[in-house]
Amino acid sequence: MAQMRLDKFLGEMGLGTRSQVKELARKGRVAVNGQAVKKSDQKIWPGKDEVQVDGKTIPYVPWEYYLLNKPQGVVSATEDGRYPTVVDLIAEKKRKDLFPVGRLDKDTEGLLLITNDGILAHQLLSPGKHVEKTYFVRMKGALSPSACRQIQEGLVLEDGQKTLPAKLHLIRQWREGEGIWAEPVPFGEACLTIHEGKFHQVKRMFEAVGCQVVYLKRLSMGPLTLDENMEPGQYRPLTSGELAELKALEGERRTDG
Ligand code: URA
């Protein structure tokens, strides 16, 4: 770890903007290795030097990783003028620089990784890496055998983009007279696994075969799986095992080129 400016360190650890932490130092509230430091542009060694604010040690946390069950109505962004963001939901975060790895639509629920590890995020999102993502889909309309085949083999979206082959598992379908659904319109449920992340991809794949997605939830991404007992809005830090699997994936992909 290289040396870092004290104001950058305090900013990253969530103590405020650069001007706020400058003010903290100016007021004599910041100490490094027991010595009050009035100039916040001083360099420190993160993790080695002991930084205190008002006598309280600020531990250096380089990376944070959370698995969130994203609820509907929350946007996959770091800031938004109108809606709460997924980062707002992480109440225990230590750092200010967290972001979601990829996007789920505002009305989509499910697994979202929140971190500040840009290298890992880049590896997971890179289009050439084909990280698997599985979604639970509830749709209006019925999927014919030919529609299923098109989804599985790859189809052309309304803007002309072609999707890669995908795995489709039909859970249930409405069939006239069978009375599975109380609704007066045909609904179905399926699990879809894709290896890419085009804009609104799942919804557009179903639209391309005449079905409207009415509920969407991401169940897994690469080695990460949503816990069944995790309610929308709940989150937890990744386990060391999950992190090791993600890092292994990253290493594998890196050597793959
Ligand atoms: N595909 C979609 O259409 N929406 C999402 O939120 C995720 C994948």
Side-chain angles (χ1 to χ4, degrees):
M1 169 51 63
Q3 275 193 309
M4 189 190 258
R5 277 172 59 137
L6 180 59
D7 49 10
K8 184 164 193 288
F9 172 90
L10 291 171
E12 285 190 10
M13 295 312 121
L15 277 108
T17 61
R18 201 163 273 200
S19 58
Q20 285 167 335
V21 300
K22 192 173 172 186
E23 190 58 13
L24 281 179
R26 205 187 55 75
K27 289 186 172 154
R29 294 170 61 186
V30 180
V32 176
N33 300 326
Q35 297 286 316
V37 168
K38 295 228 164 168
K39 289 196 148 217
S40 61
D41 59 357
Q42 173 178 323
K43 295 257 175 89
I44 58 147
W45 291 100
K48 282 196 198 144
D49 288 328
E50 188 187 34
V51 179
Q52 291 178 313
V53 174
D54 296 334
K56 195 166 157 262
T57 299
I58 310 299
Y60 180 51
V61 181
W63 309 117
E64 285 186 275
Y65 305 89
Y66 297 98
L67 193 155
L68 168 73
N69 183 357
K70 177 193 169 298
Q72 294 184 342
V74 171
V75 292
S76 300
T78 53
E79 280 174 48
D80 191 273
R82 290 170 65 197
Y83 299 103
T85 74
V86 288
V87 172
D88 295 335
L89 296 177
I90 313 293
E92 293 156 38
K93 60 181 172 277
K94 315 260 179 320
R95 299 188 55 118
K96 280 266 165 94
D97 53 356
L98 298 184
F99 60 87
V101 178
R103 281 170 181 271
L104 292 177
D105 298 335
K106 184 151 89 47
D107 60 356
T108 300
E109 288 181 6
L111 185 147
L112 195 60
L113 174 63
I114 312 281
T115 185
N116 60 330
D117 183 343
I119 295 178
L120 180 68
H122 179 74
Q123 294 290 318
L124 288 171
L125 294 177
S126 180
K129 309 297 178 195
H130 302 307
V131 172
E132 269 196 359
K133 282 152 279 196
T134 297
Y135 295 86
F136 169 82
V137 185
R138 184 169 300 133
M139 67 274 183
K140 205 168 165 184
L143 286 177
S144 65
S146 132
C148 292
R149 229 178 5 259
Q150 286 182 61
I151 289 178
Q152 285 162 335
E153 289 174 1
L155 46 72
V156 179
L157 299 172
E158 86 296 345
D159 61 357
Q161 290 192 80
K162 177 117 180 23
T163 62
L164 292 173
K167 281 184 227 153
L168 178 72
H169 166 65
L170 267 184
I171 301 169
R172 50 185 168 170
Q173 285 242 71
W174 179 90
R175 278 195 202 85
E176 192 128 31
E178 287 186 8
I180 301 173
W181 297 93
E183 291 85 350
V185 284
F187 278 87
E189 288 177 345
C191 275
L192 178 73
T193 302
I194 56 175
H195 301 83
E196 50 190 339
K198 300 188 197 307
F199 185 61
H200 295 324
Q201 178 156 349
V202 177
K203 291 176 184 164
R204 293 199 294 150
M205 285 173 77
F206 279 80
E207 264 160 34
V209 293
C211 285
Q212 185 198 349
V213 172
V214 294
Y215 174 77
L216 188 60
K217 176 177 183 174
R218 183 153 67 189
L219 303 176
S220 69
M221 180 169 88
L224 303 179
T225 304
L226 195 64
D227 307 4
E228 269 176 24
N229 57 1
M230 202 184 253
E231 295 296 324
Q234 286 188 327
Y235 67 91
R236 61 165 175 79
L238 287 195
T239 64
S240 51
E242 286 169 331
L243 196 52
E245 282 190 76
L246 280 183
K247 296 274 177 175
L249 186 79
E250 189 187 324
E252 234 173 69
R253 310 290 174 173
R254 272 195 179 143
T255 49
D256 281 359

